[in-house]
Amino acid sequence: TPYQSLLAVRDALNKQIILKAQQHDLNTKNLNSIEISNKLQAIGGLTIQKAKAFQALIELTNSADPSISQDQVNQVNQLLDNLNL
């Protein structure tokens, strides 16, 4: 379903931010993805713009309605591609 696809986007976002943190030797234990992005931003691992875009995508995927359409999911996927962490 489109909703499950959106949850997969959220999982991909979480994996990407964890990998980025590992590249910068950041401990991600007990941190959510937004906290990780804030830490990366603080050390220069993410620009302010990328951190804000990442956080907006996380919030969007967390608040998704199960009746989301495939077109909406496609738009979120495009945003993910444009983020380019």
Side-chain angles (χ1 to χ4, degrees):
T1 68
Y3 182 68
Q4 290 169 326
S5 296
L6 189 68
L7 295 180
V9 170
R10 185 180 64 193
D11 290 344
L13 280 165
N14 286 324
K15 287 177 185 171
Q16 286 182 15
I17 203 71
I18 289 170
L19 286 173
K20 186 82 164 174
Q22 289 171 344
Q23 292 171 356
H24 291 275
D25 295 323
L26 283 179
N27 183 357
T28 60
K29 188 172 179 160
N30 299 323
L31 296 177
N32 67 39
S33 59
I34 294 200
E35 292 168 328
I36 295 169
S37 69
N38 286 333
K39 283 192 170 260
L40 280 165
Q41 180 189 334
I43 65 163
L46 281 181
T47 64
I48 292 170
Q49 294 85 356
K50 283 200 185 236
K52 287 186 180 204
F54 173 82
Q55 291 172 10
L57 271 173
I58 286 292
E59 289 174 13
L60 181 64
T61 58
N62 282 341
S63 64
D65 187 317
S67 64
I68 190 168
S69 71
Q70 185 59 51
D71 186 51
Q72 290 169 315
V73 172
N74 293 344
Q75 291 174 11
V76 173
N77 273 315
Q78 185 63 48
L79 292 171
L80 174 62
D81 291 344
N82 291 340
L83 180 61
N84 191 24
L85 283 182

